[in-house]
């Protein structure tokens, strides 16, 4: 047999090698059936007097059986906190950056740490954890991963 197109053969070989390298991740995926057909409360169930990504919004979502999507970023003291925006402007009318405030200062606005949120949710509903990166600093990833490694509930991480 004479091979006419070495480029095509190389591409097919590379694709095969790629598929073989990811096969363990495809075959060993955890059971995600708890996510299938689930309705998720984006930033918890908020509205009225309940702020998004707050303990109250998470409690209400759990009470109603909704999965929860929440956002995680770092405070100035390296704590994983649950808040969507890079600043407090939209939610609280203050042009303060989340990354410039400590977790204690953020708690005065009702902004929880990831650990506090996970304590309340307590594995009762599945989570979608979105890691926020408003700078080139990606240290939120290992910090959130360490916290999530201790969590017994089902979750997935996105960014």
């Amino acid at each position: 047999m004479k091979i006419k197109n070495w480029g095509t053969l190389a591409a097919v070989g590379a694709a095969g090698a790629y598929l073989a390298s990811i096969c363990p991740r495809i075959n060993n995926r955890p059971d995600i059936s708890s996510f299938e057909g689930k309705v998720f409360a984006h930033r918890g169930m908020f509205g009225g007097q309940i702020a998004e990504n707050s303990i109250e919004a998470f409690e209400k979502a759990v009470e109603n059986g909704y999965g929860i999507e929440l956002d995680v970023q770092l405070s100035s003291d390296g704590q994983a906190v649950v808040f969507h925006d890079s600043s407090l402007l939209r939610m609280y009318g203050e042009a303060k950056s989340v990354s410039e405030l400590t977790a204690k200062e953020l708690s005065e606005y009702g902004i929880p740490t990831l650990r506090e949120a996970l304590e309340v949710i307590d594995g009762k509903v599945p989570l979608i954890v979105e890691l926020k990166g408003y700078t080139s600093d990606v240290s939120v990833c290992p910090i959130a991963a360490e916290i999530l490694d201790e969590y017994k509930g089902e979750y997935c991480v996105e960014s």
Side-chain angles (χ1 to χ4, degrees):
M1 176 172 136
K2 185 175 179 181
I3 297 174
K4 296 181 182 180
N5 190 337
W6 286 100
T8 301
L9 183 62
V12 169
Y18 172 74
L19 289 174
S21 73
I22 67 168
C23 246
R25 286 181 281 179
I26 291 172
N27 294 331
N28 296 321
R29 288 186 176 185
D31 178 20
I32 59 166
S33 59
S34 64
F35 283 76
E36 293 174 9
K38 189 72 163 177
V39 175
F40 281 79
H42 189 239
R43 303 181 197 155
M45 276 188 83
F46 63 92
Q49 299 298 310
I50 300 176
E52 64 186 47
N53 274 323
S54 67
I55 294 298
E56 295 80 11
F58 302 144
E59 289 172 336
K60 190 171 180 184
V62 168
E63 285 172 20
N64 288 281
Y66 291 112
I68 298 170
E69 181 274 345
L70 54 80
D71 306 283
V72 178
Q73 58 185 297
L74 294 183
S75 60
S76 67
D77 55 347
Q79 298 295 309
V81 296
V82 181
F83 196 71
H84 179 268
D85 300 351
S86 63
S87 81
L88 304 182
L89 188 60
R90 178 179 65 87
M91 291 289 299
Y92 301 103
E94 297 186 32
K96 296 178 180 179
S97 173
V98 171
S99 64
E100 294 172 352
L101 298 170
T102 65
K104 182 171 177 28
E105 291 169 325
L106 292 165
S107 73
E108 294 169 11
Y109 293 91
I111 298 170
T113 65
L114 178 58
R115 287 184 195 279
E116 292 167 337
L118 295 178
E119 274 182 33
V120 168
I121 299 162
D122 194 30
K124 296 172 187 150
V125 295
L127 299 177
I128 299 172
V129 180
E130 182 171 342
L131 302 179
K132 293 294 189 182
Y134 292 106
T135 68
S136 60
D137 180 9
V138 294
S139 54
V140 68
C141 299
I143 292 169
E146 183 179 325
I147 294 167
L148 289 166
D149 281 346
E150 300 168 7
Y151 184 63
K152 301 301 180 207
E154 294 183 295
Y155 65 89
C156 71
V157 177
E158 65 180 21
S159 180

